[in-house]
Short mmCIF file of all heavy atoms in Angstrom, two decimals:
data_model
loop_
_atom_site.label_atom_id
_atom_site.label_comp_id
_atom_site.label_asym_id
_atom_site.label_seq_id
_atom_site.Cartn_x
_atom_site.Cartn_y
_atom_site.Cartn_z
N ASP G 246 -1.51 30.45 -5.84
CA ASP G 246 -0.37 30.96 -5.17
C ASP G 246 0.26 29.73 -4.39
O ASP G 246 -0.40 29.23 -3.38
CB ASP G 246 -0.71 32.05 -4.26
CG ASP G 246 0.46 32.82 -3.71
OD1 ASP G 246 1.61 32.21 -3.72
OD2 ASP G 246 0.33 33.88 -3.11
N SER G 247 1.45 29.32 -4.73
CA SER G 247 2.00 28.18 -4.08
C SER G 247 2.49 28.53 -2.66
O SER G 247 2.72 27.60 -1.85
CB SER G 247 3.24 27.71 -4.87
OG SER G 247 4.33 28.61 -4.80
N GLY G 248 2.61 29.77 -2.33
CA GLY G 248 3.04 30.17 -1.00
C GLY G 248 4.57 29.87 -0.73
O GLY G 248 5.06 29.91 0.39
N THR G 249 5.22 29.53 -1.86
CA THR G 249 6.71 29.31 -1.76
C THR G 249 7.39 30.20 -2.72
O THR G 249 6.80 31.01 -3.44
CB THR G 249 6.99 27.83 -2.19
OG1 THR G 249 6.74 27.72 -3.55
CG2 THR G 249 6.03 26.81 -1.38
N SER G 250 8.69 30.03 -2.76
CA SER G 250 9.53 30.86 -3.71
C SER G 250 9.23 30.46 -5.19
O SER G 250 9.73 31.22 -5.99
CB SER G 250 11.01 30.58 -3.40
OG SER G 250 11.36 29.31 -3.59
N LEU G 251 8.42 29.40 -5.37
CA LEU G 251 8.16 28.98 -6.79
C LEU G 251 7.14 29.98 -7.40
O LEU G 251 6.95 29.96 -8.62
CB LEU G 251 7.63 27.60 -6.84
CG LEU G 251 8.54 26.50 -6.39
CD1 LEU G 251 7.80 25.17 -6.33
CD2 LEU G 251 9.73 26.35 -7.27
N GLY G 252 6.42 30.68 -6.58
CA GLY G 252 5.48 31.67 -7.07
C GLY G 252 4.08 31.14 -7.35
O GLY G 252 3.66 30.18 -6.71
N LYS G 253 3.53 31.67 -8.46
CA LYS G 253 2.11 31.28 -8.72
C LYS G 253 2.15 30.32 -9.93
O LYS G 253 3.07 30.26 -10.74
CB LYS G 253 1.31 32.50 -9.13
CG LYS G 253 1.07 33.48 -7.93
CD LYS G 253 0.12 34.55 -8.22
CE LYS G 253 -0.09 35.44 -7.00
NZ LYS G 253 -1.06 36.52 -7.21
N PHE G 254 1.01 29.54 -10.00
CA PHE G 254 0.88 28.56 -11.06
C PHE G 254 -0.47 28.74 -11.63
O PHE G 254 -1.45 29.10 -10.97
CB PHE G 254 0.95 27.18 -10.52
CG PHE G 254 2.30 26.72 -10.07
CD1 PHE G 254 2.88 27.09 -8.84
CD2 PHE G 254 3.19 25.99 -10.95
CE1 PHE G 254 4.13 26.77 -8.50
CE2 PHE G 254 4.38 25.58 -10.61
CZ PHE G 254 4.95 26.02 -9.41
N ALA G 255 -0.58 28.55 -12.99
CA ALA G 255 -1.88 28.36 -13.58
C ALA G 255 -2.34 26.93 -13.45
O ALA G 255 -3.50 26.63 -12.99
CB ALA G 255 -1.82 28.67 -15.12
N LEU G 256 -1.51 25.95 -13.73
CA LEU G 256 -1.77 24.56 -13.56
C LEU G 256 -0.52 23.89 -13.01
O LEU G 256 0.60 24.26 -13.35
CB LEU G 256 -2.11 23.89 -14.96
CG LEU G 256 -3.31 24.45 -15.67
CD1 LEU G 256 -3.25 24.06 -17.10
CD2 LEU G 256 -4.59 24.06 -14.96
N TYR G 257 -0.71 22.89 -12.19
CA TYR G 257 0.49 22.17 -11.62
C TYR G 257 0.25 20.69 -11.44
O TYR G 257 -0.90 20.24 -11.34
CB TYR G 257 0.80 22.80 -10.31
CG TYR G 257 -0.23 22.76 -9.22
CD1 TYR G 257 -0.28 21.61 -8.38
CD2 TYR G 257 -1.11 23.79 -9.11
CE1 TYR G 257 -1.34 21.64 -7.49
CE2 TYR G 257 -2.10 23.74 -8.24
CZ TYR G 257 -2.20 22.67 -7.35
OH TYR G 257 -3.20 22.58 -6.44
N VAL G 258 1.31 19.94 -11.51
CA VAL G 258 1.28 18.55 -11.24
C VAL G 258 1.93 18.33 -9.82
O VAL G 258 3.07 18.81 -9.59
CB VAL G 258 2.05 17.68 -12.27
CG1 VAL G 258 2.10 16.28 -11.95
CG2 VAL G 258 1.46 17.92 -13.67
N SER G 259 1.12 17.76 -8.94
CA SER G 259 1.67 17.56 -7.56
C SER G 259 2.62 16.42 -7.60
O SER G 259 2.33 15.41 -8.16
CB SER G 259 0.49 17.30 -6.56
OG SER G 259 -0.18 18.43 -6.35
N LYS G 260 3.72 16.59 -6.87
CA LYS G 260 4.66 15.55 -6.81
C LYS G 260 4.70 14.98 -5.35
O LYS G 260 5.53 15.26 -4.57
CB LYS G 260 6.15 16.04 -7.10
CG LYS G 260 6.22 16.50 -8.62
CD LYS G 260 7.42 17.37 -8.89
CE LYS G 260 8.69 16.97 -8.29
NZ LYS G 260 9.83 17.72 -8.83
N GLN G 261 3.68 14.16 -5.06
CA GLN G 261 3.51 13.68 -3.71
C GLN G 261 3.82 12.16 -3.63
O GLN G 261 3.57 11.52 -2.63
CB GLN G 261 2.08 13.87 -3.13
CG GLN G 261 1.78 15.34 -3.09
CD GLN G 261 0.40 15.54 -2.56
OE1 GLN G 261 -0.34 14.67 -2.15
NE2 GLN G 261 -0.03 16.79 -2.46
N SER G 262 4.38 11.57 -4.65
CA SER G 262 4.84 10.19 -4.62
C SER G 262 5.94 10.08 -5.70
O SER G 262 6.19 10.95 -6.55
CB SER G 262 3.78 9.26 -4.85
OG SER G 262 3.27 9.30 -6.11
N SER G 263 6.53 8.92 -5.67
CA SER G 263 7.58 8.65 -6.62
C SER G 263 7.28 7.57 -7.62
O SER G 263 6.25 6.91 -7.45
CB SER G 263 8.89 8.32 -5.88
OG SER G 263 8.69 7.08 -5.19
N ASN G 264 8.10 7.42 -8.59
CA ASN G 264 8.05 6.25 -9.50
C ASN G 264 6.73 6.27 -10.36
O ASN G 264 6.06 5.21 -10.43
CB ASN G 264 8.17 4.90 -8.82
CG ASN G 264 9.53 4.80 -8.19
OD1 ASN G 264 10.57 5.18 -8.70
ND2 ASN G 264 9.60 4.32 -6.87
N HIS G 265 6.31 7.46 -10.87
CA HIS G 265 5.18 7.48 -11.74
C HIS G 265 5.34 8.55 -12.82
O HIS G 265 6.20 9.43 -12.63
CB HIS G 265 3.90 7.50 -11.02
CG HIS G 265 3.52 8.86 -10.39
ND1 HIS G 265 4.06 9.27 -9.21
CD2 HIS G 265 2.75 9.88 -10.78
CE1 HIS G 265 3.63 10.42 -8.87
NE2 HIS G 265 2.74 10.75 -9.84
N ASP G 266 4.63 8.43 -13.87
CA ASP G 266 4.63 9.35 -15.03
C ASP G 266 3.41 10.01 -15.18
O ASP G 266 2.33 9.39 -15.05
CB ASP G 266 5.04 8.54 -16.30
CG ASP G 266 6.30 7.71 -16.17
OD1 ASP G 266 7.21 8.29 -15.66
OD2 ASP G 266 6.29 6.66 -16.69
N VAL G 267 3.44 11.32 -15.45
CA VAL G 267 2.24 12.08 -15.87
C VAL G 267 2.41 12.74 -17.19
O VAL G 267 3.46 13.36 -17.43
CB VAL G 267 1.87 13.14 -14.79
CG1 VAL G 267 0.67 13.97 -15.21
CG2 VAL G 267 1.62 12.47 -13.44
N THR G 268 1.49 12.53 -18.09
CA THR G 268 1.55 13.20 -19.43
C THR G 268 0.36 14.06 -19.60
O THR G 268 -0.74 13.69 -19.29
CB THR G 268 1.60 12.05 -20.54
OG1 THR G 268 2.73 11.23 -20.37
CG2 THR G 268 1.61 12.69 -21.89
N ILE G 269 0.59 15.28 -20.17
CA ILE G 269 -0.41 16.27 -20.45
C ILE G 269 -0.33 16.42 -21.98
O ILE G 269 0.71 16.93 -22.39
CB ILE G 269 -0.23 17.54 -19.74
CG1 ILE G 269 -0.18 17.30 -18.23
CG2 ILE G 269 -1.42 18.46 -20.05
CD1 ILE G 269 0.33 18.47 -17.46
N LYS G 270 -1.32 16.12 -22.77
CA LYS G 270 -1.16 16.24 -24.16
C LYS G 270 -2.50 16.62 -24.82
O LYS G 270 -3.51 16.33 -24.46
CB LYS G 270 -0.64 15.01 -24.81
CG LYS G 270 -1.50 13.75 -24.77
CD LYS G 270 -0.88 12.60 -25.41
CE LYS G 270 -1.56 11.30 -25.35
NZ LYS G 270 -0.88 10.13 -26.06
N GLY G 271 -2.25 17.41 -25.96
CA GLY G 271 -3.31 17.67 -26.87
C GLY G 271 -3.51 16.65 -27.83
O GLY G 271 -2.69 15.83 -28.12
N VAL G 272 -4.70 16.67 -28.55
CA VAL G 272 -5.00 15.62 -29.56
C VAL G 272 -4.22 15.98 -30.81
O VAL G 272 -3.62 15.11 -31.40
CB VAL G 272 -6.54 15.57 -29.71
CG1 VAL G 272 -6.82 14.62 -30.81
CG2 VAL G 272 -7.25 15.11 -28.43
N SER G 273 -4.33 17.20 -31.29
CA SER G 273 -3.70 17.56 -32.58
C SER G 273 -2.52 18.53 -32.21
O SER G 273 -2.48 19.18 -31.12
CB SER G 273 -4.70 18.27 -33.49
OG SER G 273 -5.81 17.45 -33.73
N HIS G 274 -1.75 18.73 -33.18
CA HIS G 274 -0.68 19.75 -33.05
C HIS G 274 -1.27 21.13 -33.21
O HIS G 274 -1.86 21.39 -34.28
CB HIS G 274 0.47 19.43 -34.07
CG HIS G 274 1.32 18.34 -33.77
ND1 HIS G 274 2.27 18.31 -32.82
CD2 HIS G 274 1.26 17.04 -34.32
CE1 HIS G 274 2.82 17.06 -32.70
NE2 HIS G 274 2.28 16.34 -33.67
N PRO G 275 -1.07 21.99 -32.20
CA PRO G 275 -1.63 23.37 -32.46
C PRO G 275 -0.85 24.12 -33.52
O PRO G 275 0.39 23.96 -33.64
CB PRO G 275 -1.44 24.03 -31.09
CG PRO G 275 -0.49 23.12 -30.36
CD PRO G 275 -0.46 21.78 -30.96
N ASN G 276 -1.61 24.92 -34.29
CA ASN G 276 -0.87 25.70 -35.29
C ASN G 276 -1.58 27.06 -35.37
O ASN G 276 -2.72 27.21 -35.05
CB ASN G 276 -0.83 25.02 -36.71
CG ASN G 276 -2.22 24.76 -37.29
OD1 ASN G 276 -3.21 25.12 -36.75
ND2 ASN G 276 -2.23 24.26 -38.48
N ARG G 277 -0.90 28.00 -35.85
CA ARG G 277 -1.42 29.40 -35.96
C ARG G 277 -1.78 29.65 -37.41
O ARG G 277 -1.10 29.24 -38.34
CB ARG G 277 -0.39 30.39 -35.50
CG ARG G 277 -0.02 30.28 -34.08
CD ARG G 277 0.77 31.49 -33.61
NE ARG G 277 1.02 31.34 -32.20
CZ ARG G 277 0.31 31.81 -31.27
NH1 ARG G 277 -0.87 32.38 -31.53
NH2 ARG G 277 0.50 31.71 -29.94
N VAL G 278 -2.95 30.33 -37.53
CA VAL G 278 -3.43 30.77 -38.79
C VAL G 278 -3.38 32.27 -38.81
O VAL G 278 -4.03 32.95 -38.01
CB VAL G 278 -4.86 30.28 -39.04
CG1 VAL G 278 -5.28 30.79 -40.38
CG2 VAL G 278 -4.95 28.78 -38.93
N GLY G 279 -2.56 32.86 -39.64
CA GLY G 279 -2.45 34.35 -39.63
C GLY G 279 -1.57 34.79 -38.41
O GLY G 279 -0.79 33.98 -37.92
#
Side-chain angles (χ1 to χ4, degrees):
D246 189 346
S247 70
T249 70
S250 62
L251 297 174
K253 294 185 175 182
F254 289 80
L256 301 164
Y257 59 89
V258 176
S259 290
K260 293 165 42 170
Q261 295 182 7
S262 68
S263 61
N264 299 316
H265 71 281
D266 303 319
V267 176
T268 300
I269 307 166
K270 67 180 177 179
V272 174
S273 302
H274 289 283
N276 64 357
R277 294 192 177 273
V278 179

